[in-house]
Amino acid sequence: MPNIKDSVLRYLLIDSRLRTESKPGHEELRDYLEEQFAEISKDKHLFTKLTVKKDLKDMRKFFSAPVHFSFRENSYRYEDNTYTFLNLPPGILERITLHLKLQYLWGDRVNPNIQIQFEKIPTSEGYNYIPIIAEALCQKKALSVKYKAASAKRSSTLILHPQGVKEHQKKFFLLATKDKEREVRPYDVTCLLEQPVILEKEAFKAKDFSVESFKIESNS
């Protein structure tokens, strides 16, 4: 029986790729799917040209996606540049994609240390780094991040001990302590310059810390 969650996530990823990359071909779409699934699942997901073609066919048939294939350029594009999957706003599509990725990461694990608090408004930036941060929380591991605050002139590489994630005023914030410190501070995820790296180092757990009670306004 087909895995519906797999299919929906593939549709969302293909839609995002068609909207953000100029005319990808079969190989580019296949490689992109494999890269995305590799980030969220320990099981190896291999996709074929037939998988991509079937997904695109299903998107046309069931969701009226205006997918056009150019034989001359051997590539795909949307004939209607304003189309999005299910005609949903990009912000909502990104939120759905994020939740599906987190489901893959968590699986059947019940972990009280996964503390991610979302707002109701689904338009936040920085969602692309949340899965790797969630995995660090699952594993109770420290993160190495390249960070440049909005007011800073230069970037710096930090070792952070993640305590949770909080969505606030259309942005995601990583709540963490710096290495050899104990104060929890918010780090704007949009200020990360590249994908965080999970370290072997065990993350320090801030005593009596609560994502819900953390006030970003008074700590930023």
Side-chain angles (χ1 to χ4, degrees), residues 10-183:
R10 291 200 309 271
Y11 300 155
L12 287 164
L13 291 171
I14 289 173
D15 170 79
S16 174
R17 194 69 173 194
L18 289 174
R19 287 186 287 110
T20 58
E21 182 187 328
S22 177
K23 302 177 181 178
H26 289 112
E27 290 76 14
E28 288 85 357
L29 288 172
R30 181 200 63 205
D31 292 346
Y32 179 65
L33 290 175
E34 290 183 358
E35 289 168 5
Q36 291 293 306
F37 273 84
E39 291 179 359
I40 58 175
S41 174
K42 291 181 172 61
D43 298 327
K44 192 157 188 175
H45 291 259
L46 296 176
F47 301 105
T48 66
K49 180 178 178 179
L50 289 176
T51 304
V52 174
K53 290 182 72 173
K54 184 179 184 306
D55 285 345
L56 290 162
K57 181 180 179 181
D58 289 344
M59 289 173 69
R60 289 191 193 99
K61 180 177 180 181
F62 300 114
F63 304 103
S64 302
V67 178
H68 173 75
F69 179 72
S70 169
F71 287 94
R72 183 172 62 85
E73 299 179 348
N74 193 30
S75 64
Y76 289 94
R77 64 177 174 82
Y78 278 150
E79 290 185 297
D80 179 358
N81 292 331
T82 65
Y83 176 83
T84 59
F85 185 63
L86 294 175
N87 289 314
L88 292 171
I92 293 179
L93 290 172
E94 289 153 359
R95 175 61 60 86
I96 295 170
T97 304
L98 170 59
H99 276 283
L100 286 173
K101 286 183 174 182
L102 290 178
Q103 286 180 33
Y104 273 95
L105 281 170
W106 292 338
D108 296 327
R109 288 178 290 185
V110 178
N111 190 328
N113 292 300
I114 302 173
Q115 301 184 63
I116 301 182
Q117 187 181 62
F118 296 99
E119 286 187 334
K120 294 180 180 179
I121 302 172
T123 55
S124 292
E125 299 178 61
Y127 58 88
N128 51 316
Y129 293 134
I130 301 305
I132 192 72
I133 294 172
E135 184 63 15
L137 286 166
C138 286
Q139 297 181 15
K140 303 179 183 178
K141 297 291 187 181
L143 284 169
S144 173
V145 304
K146 190 171 183 181
Y147 190 82
K148 184 180 182 299
S151 58
K153 293 183 179 179
R154 288 178 289 186
S155 65
S156 56
T157 299
L158 307 174
I159 304 300
L160 299 179
H161 298 257
Q163 308 296 311
V165 173
K166 189 162 188 172
E167 187 177 10
H168 176 72
Q169 294 185 353
K170 300 185 180 181
K171 286 187 177 182
F172 283 108
F173 290 85
L174 165 60
L175 308 180
T177 67
K178 278 186 182 179
D179 209 27
K180 299 180 181 179
E181 292 186 7
R182 292 295 180 264
E183 182 183 358

Side-chain angles (χ1 to χ4, degrees), residues 164-217:
V165 173
K166 189 162 188 172
E167 187 177 10
H168 176 72
Q169 294 185 353
K170 300 185 180 181
K171 286 187 177 182
F172 283 108
F173 290 85
L174 165 60
L175 308 180
T177 67
K178 278 186 182 179
D179 209 27
K180 299 180 181 179
E181 292 186 7
R182 292 295 180 264
E183 182 183 358
V184 179
R185 302 184 186 192
Y187 293 87
D188 184 345
V189 176
T190 63
C191 293
L192 296 178
L193 300 182
E194 57 189 34
Q195 181 89 327
V197 176
I198 298 177
L199 304 176
E200 287 301 317
K201 186 173 187 174
E202 292 291 325
F204 169 79
K205 178 62 180 173
K207 187 178 179 181
D208 301 324
F209 177 77
S210 169
V211 171
E212 290 75 13
S213 62
F214 188 88
K215 302 296 183 184
I216 290 176
E217 300 94 328

